[in-house]
Amino acid sequence: MSILPSAAARLAADDLERQIAHWRAAASTFRDAEEFASEQAWRGVEAHTGLPLRRQLASMVTELIDMGRATQATCRSARHHPEELVVAARAVQQYRRRYAQVEVTLDFFGDAVNSRTSPQLRSALQTLDRLAAESMTPVLTRAGHPPIPVLVYLDKGMGASILRAGIRLWTPGSINPVAAIKIVRHNLYRPTSLFHESGHQVAHQTGWTQSLRGAVTAALEGDPPLQAMWAPWSSEIAADVFAFLHTGYASVTALYDVVGDSRTILRWPVGDPHPVGYLRTLLGCALCRRAFGPGPWDSLEDAMVLSHPTDRTDPTVRTLLDRSRGRLAEIARACLDSPVPGLHGRPMTSVLDPGRVSPSALADLERGAGTSLWVSPHWRRTEGIRLIALAGLREAEHPLDAAGWIDRARTWMTTEPLAA
Amino acid sequence: MSTIQEPSALAEWENGPFSEAPFAEAESDRTAETAPTPVGFLPWAEASWAENLSPFAEPETDGTPTDEAELRLAEAFAELRDEFFDEAVDNLVAETEDVIGQRFADESSSTAGPEKERLGGAHLSPIQFEAERYLDRLTDGLAGLDVESLDETGLNEMLDRFDPEAAPLSPAGEEFLGSLIRKAKSAVKFVARTAKRVGKAAGGLLAGALKRLRKLVAPLLRRVLSFAIGRLPAPLRAPARLLAGKIFSEQESSGQAEAAEEDFASSPAQATDTEALSESFDAALAEAMVGDEAITAELEALTGDEYEQEGPLESHELELLAEARAKLIDTLSAAGDGEDLAPAVEQFVPALLGALRLGINLVGRPRVVGFLARYLARLIGRWVGPKLSGPLSSAIVDTGLRLISLEQPELERDNEAVASLLAATVEDTVRRLAENEDYIFENEDLMQLATAEAFERSVATNFPPSLVRRGLPPAPSIAGRFVTRRPRSARPYRRFSRMPEVEISASVAERITSFGGVTLGATLRAAGAGFPLRARLHIFEATIGTSLRRIAALERGRLGGSKISSTRLHPLTPTAAGLLLNEPALGVRVGAAFLQSRARVAAGQRFYYLEPIAGGAPTVTPVAARAGTPSQGWIVADTIRSRIVVALYFSETDAQTIAAGVRAGRPAAALLPALTAAYDGVARSFGTPSGRVRIVKETVAGEEFFGSVAGRLLPLVITQLRRVIRSWLLPLLATWMRERSAEFGRASASPGDGVTITATLSGVPGMSVLRDALNGKLGLGTLHTVASGAAFKGTPAGVVTVQAGVHRP
């Protein structure tokens, strides 16, 4: 914009002031957290998650408001100094963009928090917040990292997702203080996918993904096409293994329920970081065999292979699928034994023993705790993750009673625990 | 009467034991001031019932002690005492406070008082309705029934038939109704059991007791409402003169004992509390349960509502104090540099003394009050005024709280921060001075020394450490100060400006005792905490008018939950402060009476709240509807029936851990060590003021005693008793464990929080020795038998029972 005659400059300056006044007024509403979620929903997030989150959001809003004040001052100055109009106009545009970025951020977290709409949902999601955080803490502690607060929110769809803690948010200069994990309705009370998502956070923080990639590639030595196929899936494989280490067979059956769509289970989309659903399920069964020996996963595998023969897919893919199936034992071993840089080269199993979620260990838990297992707040607090593993295992073993197991899990997840 | 020296003579005290003034900077010279005319205590003197320090009527004696009647009364009272009822009343107050607080932000009960009463009354009225309806149904149902002929099982079954259907009451309302029903059942069972003993028909006694209970509900709830709107209600009139005397003598004697041992004293933060209300409720009901003619006649002589005191239902001393505080803060805020503040301090002191139970020590000593006002005015005057307050204002900002919250934070207004701090310093100084004994005020030098010391300690508490002389701040490594929250309300409190992070190991937690003698370790385990526990410590201090439930309600937003219970506040004693923070001086020593229950705390007493920091061992789950009861135990030694009952309660966490071991076929490894440790824990409290051991004994010459054994038993007797009970109890428990440990597993699987194992020893040898020891009649010969163990020789019979939930003997 060139220097305008005085009347035109005044007009331009007036308009800039009008614009900035509008955006500033809009931004001022961000101060009230209830613009994005109800007070009850905010209070439904525990302090050790809610406070850092609200601190970050409050800091973002404060910066936005300060930026608005400065921009307005620039616009006012431009009214008397037309040569500053260009700068003022640019500042207003920047402020608009920043406003939008802050709004996206606040909206995201507001929606996430607002999914705690009822006391039941609040209770269930608080339980999941806690369990997700607990799943990461032993590994993070061993790796010398501070624990990470988690905000779980509910949304529709098939698959869960995570917005990792520590990544940059939409607003420049702001870092995500919590791991925001989306869980979907059909898995709310069988939340093994929760640990897949928290596995992403752990894998990122400990450098596990790269190391697992190397281990799987080494295990597939002599078959470059197979190496090329499996290597890009390392991140998702790490997350699947993490879920397995926490919930055993339950994670495999839950995964199969998600990927078991006959239209997509054999599909290999270009660039998709997720393994082909068929192979993903087979890998889960192989992990079970490796850790626990023979078991119901063998039947699951046989059933899946029968239901989804590989001759239904593209011949090139089919070859890779069949060759992969032949190497799954090695891949499973590589996954469980791969060194984790953050754990000083020790495998993830050195912290998370899969033996704790074997069917026999879970049966011991069930026997030892007796009928109080599902009702006592003590077991809810101390064995929450293994309760999910046990519920998933029993649901898979007794499909006719699946509704009963879901109900049982729902009850213990939504009954309020005792106070501290 | 000694002459109070003019302020110029204070130089001796300011520069004597204190080489400098309490402040880090040098004190400047002052000119002598003429003494103002002493202010009277008109508002205080005219409060009719406040003049009567004891809420109970003076005992009337006809010269004939009725030992038997007193014994029955004591038994009935003991039968009724239920800490869960006390807790339910307190929770009902807290809930009603919340309901009112959500509508009325202004805490002053003089603002919108009638509206607040209406709102609180509306909240309580369905509870009253359900309670009275139940009692009516119970009374009608029991009319004409021969309850004496029923055994315990039959009586329980019959009483359970009258249990009401679930009514749509609030959570605290349900809890209150439940505990009231329990109390009614206890009363019925007691009457059924004892009527024959006293040669009376149970039916008549029952009708009278239930009628009394029904009549007590409305006055009780009226007093709940008073507490909820920030007033202190008069207790229920309880002409149970000996019970009253017993209650007070227990507290006063324990206070005197402590005062003799240590140089501390504590005033209650509130002149009355919900526990006193529950006690007076039980006392009034106990009278009807024993149907003593003398007592009944006394009651029938009363006119009108015999459960109400004569005079006002409520006292307004807290409101008056709040107004006086506000006026002092306003004066200090508006004062110019060098302005005379003595009149402002003098107007404040009477209101403070009126609310301070130990203010009696300064009542009638206007010269002392006048001296105090001038002394304080001089020393705080250097910080008042636009110029002079600058350094203090800057120092406050540096140590102030930084809050980030969605709630409207109650930050100190900048212009009030200095005034509020100075007002708090004045209040603390007066309180500390008033807690001294009489002889201090009789001696000029001692009085001035006490004043200087009180002021010094108050400065160390309230001022930023940078302005306080080295060695005075209680926690130099933490460098914080106490900030008054809601200084203008009737229920202010103080919050420490720093929140240090701590890591607590299991062994440290076991060495820290909380209210009621329960260890912090047991409390944290019951709440699901793992060790080591990393937590942020929030520290609070009570002032006049503070209640812990109010702190919990007002801090819940900051402490991160919609449901924070006062059960998460623990006393910060010097031991706790030393172990948690390595700063024992940050803790405060108080009388044993203020360590029993959260309903009764002292002004100046400190507390802490542990906010778990996520990570490490499984964290405590902050949001909850109800606190997990920590593991604890009780012993009742009945010297009349030669019986000892030991009840060992295991929290849900501990019970499940033990039960898992029992189910795994390891009862000896899982259960026996837990039982042994639990008994040893209770036994250690034998002889301590907050002990969990109670003794029932006969009355002797009008004396009444049922309570803690503190100070009553020789150490030798305590040691032997502890040892011999252990020698009887453990083999009994071991046998039970071997034969019936599966019962523990079954009980742990039942709904109910935790498991209680009760061992009853009957035909206990040596109870007469114990009685003699309590009466101070232990001869030398008997002492020898105690020392040798012969006094308790023999093996009592024993029975062990297991129940889900908490069951006190």
Side-chain angles (χ1 to χ4, degrees):
Chain A
M1 186 190 290
S2 55
I3 295 180
L4 300 171
S6 57
R10 263 201 309 278
L11 205 63
D14 283 348
D15 183 53
L16 286 177
E17 280 205 64
R18 185 201 58 76
Q19 286 185 51
I20 190 61
H22 164 71
W23 293 112
R24 274 198 75 198
S28 69
T29 65
F30 291 173
R31 276 201 196 98
D32 184 355
E34 283 199 85
E35 289 285 327
F36 296 92
S38 69
E39 183 186 338
Q40 268 191 319
W42 283 111
R43 286 190 187 278
V45 182
E46 294 307 337
H48 57 261
T49 300
L51 267 178
L53 178 60
R54 291 188 337 239
R55 227 176 248 135
Q56 176 66 273
L57 299 180
S59 160
M60 231 185 287
V61 170
T62 304
E63 280 175 21
L64 179 68
I65 289 172
D66 288 345
M67 186 179 175
R69 203 177 288 130
T71 306
Q72 190 164 52
T74 305
C75 292
R76 280 208 185 114
S77 175
R79 170 186 284 282
H80 304 291
H81 305 284
E83 66 278 14
E84 291 174 12
L85 270 175
V86 174
V87 171
R90 198 177 304 134
V92 168
Q93 292 304 310
Q94 278 173 346
Y95 190 71
R96 281 171 57 110
R97 279 192 293 278
R98 177 62 63 88
Y99 171 91
Q101 287 160 342
V102 171
E103 186 187 55
V104 166
T105 311
L106 292 177
D107 240 0
F108 172 80
F109 287 107
D111 284 348
V113 168
N114 234 0
S115 63
R116 299 172 187 231
T117 49
S118 66
Q120 183 161 318
L121 270 177
R122 263 199 301 280
S123 191
L125 292 175
Q126 278 169 1
T127 302
L128 295 183
D129 289 345
R130 179 173 61 83
L131 294 177
E134 270 177 29
S135 73
M136 296 189 284
T137 298
V139 179
L140 293 177
T141 305
R142 191 74 70 87
H145 291 284
I148 292 174
V150 178
L151 174 71
V152 179
Y153 63 100
L154 188 66
D155 209 345
K156 59 186 181 302
M158 275 293 150
S161 65
I162 182 172
L163 187 71
R164 276 188 283 113
I167 65 166
R168 232 195 61 175
L169 289 171
W170 298 271
T171 309
S174 61
I175 302 294
N176 187 15
V178 303
I181 296 179
K182 170 189 146 189
I183 193 125
V184 290
R185 283 194 187 277
H186 76 92
N187 268 337
L188 177 59
Y189 300 114
R190 190 187 56 173
T192 54
S193 57
L194 190 74
F195 309 113
H196 172 99
E197 301 306 330
S198 61
H200 278 303
Q201 182 77 52
V202 164
H204 172 76
Q205 303 239 190
T206 58
W208 188 24
T209 305
Q210 273 305 108
S211 140
L212 190 143
R213 181 187 182 115
V216 168
T217 303
L220 293 172
E221 195 182 349
D223 196 334
L226 225 53
Q227 288 175 328
M229 182 189 205
W230 281 85
W233 294 339
S234 306
S235 171
E236 292 298 327
I237 292 172
D240 277 349
V241 174
F242 194 78
F244 168 75
L245 291 175
H246 277 296
T247 54
Y249 181 50
S251 68
V252 181
T253 57
L255 172 71
Y256 182 43
D257 286 341
V258 171
V259 304
D261 186 333
S262 58
R263 295 169 296 179
T264 54
I265 190 170
L266 294 169
R267 202 182 289 172
W268 182 17
V270 174
D272 189 345
H274 296 87
V276 175
Y278 180 85
L279 291 178
R280 221 173 152 187
T281 309
L282 287 180
L283 177 58
C285 296
L287 289 170
C288 290
R289 254 190 310 277
R290 172 95 189 148
F292 313 138
W297 33 90
D298 298 322
S299 307
L300 176 74
E301 180 171 316
D302 293 342
M304 188 193 70
V305 166
L306 269 175
S307 302
H308 306 287
T310 54
D311 58 11
R312 288 187 192 163
T313 189
D314 180 274
T316 51
V317 173
R318 177 185 173 183
T319 315
L320 290 169
L321 293 181
D322 291 340
R323 288 216 309 270
S324 293
R325 191 175 168 203
R327 307 287 294 267
L328 276 171
E330 297 154 72
I331 297 172
R333 186 173 58 235
C335 288
L336 292 175
D337 296 347
S338 61
V340 181
L343 298 179
H344 310 291
R346 284 194 284 271
M348 196 58 76
T349 51
S350 67
V351 181
L352 302 173
D353 176 13
R356 291 188 74 247
V357 290
S358 67
S360 57
L362 293 175
D364 285 344
L365 170 67
E366 204 172 26
R367 205 165 29 245
T371 49
S372 56
L373 181 63
W374 298 99
V375 297
S376 166
H378 166 73
W379 296 116
R380 188 187 306 132
R381 271 194 306 265
T382 57
E383 294 285 4
I385 298 177
R386 287 214 293 167
L387 278 172
I388 291 172
L390 177 61
L393 173 66
R394 293 288 178 254
E395 188 195 331
E397 288 173 337
H398 308 284
L400 292 179
D401 195 26
W405 282 103
I406 290 284
D407 258 346
R408 191 170 296 184
R410 187 174 179 230
T411 302
W412 82 256
M413 280 173 63
T414 56
T415 305
E416 284 195 4
L418 295 182
Chain B
M1 182 182 290
S2 60
T3 306
I4 307 296
Q5 293 189 15
E6 288 305 310
S8 56
L10 288 170
E12 181 178 350
W13 293 109
E14 290 165 14
N15 297 321
F18 319 106
S19 55
E20 302 166 17
F23 300 114
E25 296 164 359
E27 181 73 21
S28 57
D29 288 334
R30 300 285 174 186
T31 55
E33 297 163 2
T34 52
T37 308
V39 176
F41 296 109
L42 201 58
W44 189 87
E46 279 192 350
S48 58
W49 77 271
E51 282 181 338
N52 181 1
L53 286 181
S54 162
F56 294 91
E58 284 299 316
E60 294 172 9
T61 59
D62 59 6
T64 308
T66 53
D67 292 350
E68 193 58 34
E70 287 160 9
L71 172 63
R72 289 204 317 278
L73 196 54
E75 276 188 65
F77 182 75
E79 185 78 18
L80 290 173
R81 289 306 292 140
D82 173 7
E83 64 190 45
F84 299 112
F85 179 80
D86 298 350
E87 202 179 302
V89 170
D90 200 59
N91 288 341
L92 192 55
V93 171
E95 187 182 77
T96 311
E97 275 176 345
D98 271 354
V99 164
I100 295 171
Q102 278 169 22
R103 184 82 68 84
F104 299 96
D106 181 354
E107 277 208 27
S108 164
S109 53
S110 60
T111 309
E115 285 82 4
K116 288 177 182 171
E117 284 191 33
R118 259 197 299 279
L119 184 61
H123 178 71
L124 293 170
S125 87
I127 301 166
Q128 179 177 338
F129 174 76
E130 291 297 333
E132 289 172 347
R133 187 163 73 159
Y134 164 76
L135 291 170
D136 286 338
R137 198 165 58 244
L138 184 65
T139 307
D140 292 341
L142 293 179
L145 280 184
D146 182 13
V147 295
E148 292 166 273
S149 65
L150 294 170
D151 63 8
E152 188 166 348
T153 308
L155 190 54
N156 283 334
E157 280 173 5
M158 187 201 57
L159 288 171
D160 288 348
R161 283 206 288 271
F162 299 104
D163 282 355
E165 298 288 326
L169 294 178
S170 63
E174 272 183 26
E175 187 188 356
F176 172 77
L177 182 62
S179 58
L180 185 73
I181 290 171
R182 248 194 331 271
K183 200 176 283 290
K185 289 179 180 177
S186 295
V188 170
K189 287 190 245 186
F190 177 86
V191 169
R193 204 169 60 234
T194 60
K196 203 178 289 184
R197 183 150 57 99
V198 300
K200 291 183 189 295
L205 273 180
L206 256 183
L210 291 175
K211 180 182 167 193
R212 173 75 65 88
L213 179 55
R214 193 200 187 282
K215 278 191 155 189
L216 284 169
V217 170
L220 174 76
L221 293 179
R222 181 64 189 89
R223 282 151 177 81
V224 164
L225 180 57
S226 293
F227 276 118
I229 58 177
R231 295 191 187 137
L232 297 180
L236 291 162
R237 185 173 184 124
R241 50 199 180 277
L242 294 173
L243 283 174
K246 177 202 73 62
I247 292 166
F248 270 78
S249 67
E250 212 177 291
Q251 290 178 359
E252 286 168 2
S253 65
S254 88
Q256 281 165 7
E258 287 146 7
E261 292 161 12
E262 300 176 303
D263 58 353
F264 83 98
S266 297
S267 332
Q270 294 184 347
T272 185
D273 50 57
T274 55
E275 191 158 319
L277 175 59
S278 302
E279 283 172 347
S280 60
F281 182 89
D282 288 345
L285 179 56
E287 289 158 5
M289 283 159 63
V290 299
D292 184 87
E293 279 83 9
I295 296 168
T296 308
E298 185 178 337
L299 282 175
E300 286 172 357
L302 298 169
T303 56
D305 186 346
E306 63 265 36
Y307 308 113
E308 296 289 358
Q309 288 275 105
E310 289 169 8
L313 170 67
E314 300 162 330
S315 74
H316 297 254
E317 61 211 21
L318 293 182
E319 290 173 293
L320 292 171
L321 177 57
E323 283 168 18
R325 257 195 215 111
K327 200 169 166 192
L328 179 63
I329 290 172
D330 289 339
T331 305
L332 292 172
S333 290
D337 295 337
E339 188 170 318
D340 179 16
L341 299 170
V345 175
E346 282 206 68
Q347 70 80 30
F348 173 68
V349 169
L352 176 59
L353 295 180
L356 191 61
R357 192 150 165 192
L358 294 181
I360 186 68
N361 289 341
L362 291 187
V363 169
R365 298 178 193 272
R367 289 177 184 271
V368 174
V369 173
F371 161 77
L372 179 61
R374 292 190 299 281
Y375 176 86
L376 285 171
R378 228 156 69 93
L379 286 176
I380 66 173
R382 56 178 288 182
W383 303 102
V384 170
K387 284 190 191 152
L388 295 177
S389 63
L392 181 52
S393 187
S394 303
I396 283 172
V397 167
D398 288 342
T399 61
L401 290 168
R402 298 278 180 259
L403 301 171
I404 295 171
S405 168
L406 291 174
E407 296 78 12
Q408 290 304 312
E410 196 180 318
L411 300 170
E412 286 182 319
R413 290 176 260 170
D414 284 340
N415 58 345
E416 271 204 8
V418 170
S420 177
L421 181 155
L422 294 175
T425 305
V426 167
E427 182 169 332
D428 276 357
T429 305
V430 175
R431 175 181 59 78
R432 286 189 162 104
L433 183 64
E435 288 173 353
N436 282 281
E437 296 199 51
D438 281 352
Y439 68 86
I440 296 289
F441 304 106
E442 297 298 330
N443 181 292
E444 173 73 19
D445 293 330
L446 290 176
M447 188 275 297
Q448 293 191 6
L449 172 62
T451 306
E453 282 179 342
F455 181 68
E456 203 172 84
R457 285 203 291 270
S458 302
V459 163
T461 297
N462 292 289
F463 272 68
S466 59
L467 297 179
V468 181
R469 193 178 76 227
R470 267 183 84 176
L472 284 182
S477 67
I478 304 173
R481 69 175 186 101
F482 281 91
V483 179
T484 305
R485 311 295 295 162
R486 305 193 176 233
R488 293 172 181 270
S489 88
R491 293 172 291 186
Y493 61 96
R494 309 243 173 100
R495 195 183 204 283
F496 196 60
S497 56
R498 294 275 182 246
M499 291 165 287
E501 291 187 8
V502 296
E503 187 168 286
I504 305 172
S505 66
S507 64
V508 163
E510 282 306 312
R511 276 159 182 74
I512 297 174
T513 308
S514 184
F515 288 101
V518 176
T519 65
L520 181 65
T523 306
L524 290 175
R525 274 200 314 279
F531 295 99
L533 174 70
R534 285 187 56 230
R536 201 167 286 121
L537 212 65
H538 298 259
I539 300 170
F540 304 94
E541 181 180 284
T543 179
I544 309 291
T546 299
S547 71
L548 292 195
R549 63 172 180 271
R550 205 71 200 124
I551 293 179
L554 293 170
E555 289 286 328
R556 67 178 58 136
R558 205 168 285 127
L559 298 179
S562 57
K563 294 165 187 155
I564 296 295
S565 159
S566 62
T567 54
R568 295 186 66 181
L569 289 163
H570 307 283
L572 189 66
T573 58
T575 303
L579 287 171
L580 291 172
L581 298 164
N582 217 20
E583 293 282 10
L586 191 57
V588 168
R589 231 184 304 265
V590 295
F594 303 114
L595 293 172
Q596 292 303 310
S597 152
R598 287 173 174 84
R600 187 170 293 161
V601 298
Q605 189 173 1
R606 290 179 187 157
F607 314 92
Y608 63 94
Y609 166 93
L610 290 168
E611 178 196 353
I613 299 171
T619 54
V620 171
T621 311
V623 178
R626 185 173 58 84
T629 310
S631 297
Q632 54 198 284
W634 304 271
I635 301 176
V636 175
D638 186 343
T639 62
I640 303 168
R641 297 177 192 80
S642 295
R643 190 171 66 186
I644 292 178
V645 179
V646 179
L648 304 174
Y649 166 74
F650 296 95
S651 67
E652 181 64 14
T653 297
D654 288 347
Q656 291 303 330
T657 308
I658 295 168
V662 170
R663 283 191 201 100
R666 296 176 281 113
L671 192 44
L672 206 49
L675 291 169
T676 309
Y679 169 73
D680 288 341
V682 182
R684 268 197 294 275
S685 74
F686 226 122
T688 66
S690 57
R692 315 195 119 246
V693 182
R694 294 189 295 172
I695 297 198
V696 181
K697 76 173 187 66
E698 294 169 343
T699 57
V700 175
E703 185 187 6
E704 176 59 55
F705 184 79
F706 183 111
S708 160
V709 295
R712 294 286 186 133
L713 290 178
L714 297 170
L716 172 68
V717 175
I718 291 173
T719 305
Q720 287 295 68
L721 194 58
R722 195 188 286 158
R723 188 191 62 77
V724 80
I725 292 177
R726 195 177 201 270
S727 71
W728 295 326
L729 182 70
L730 294 197
L732 176 69
L733 290 173
T735 305
W736 168 83
M737 182 271 308
R738 204 176 311 119
E739 295 167 3
R740 292 157 54 198
S741 61
E743 288 176 12
F744 191 94
R746 281 198 293 279
S748 73
S750 303
D753 178 22
V755 173
T756 304
I757 293 181
T758 305
T760 306
L761 304 170
S762 44
V764 177
M767 290 290 101
S768 57
V769 171
L770 184 58
R771 211 163 38 238
D772 289 344
L774 286 168
N775 292 333
K777 290 180 179 175
L778 215 53
L780 201 55
T782 318
L783 262 179
H784 283 310
T785 63
V786 171
S788 67
F792 301 107
K793 194 164 179 186
T795 308
V799 169
V800 177
T801 56
V802 185
Q803 295 165 284
V806 187
H807 295 271
R808 282 187 69 153

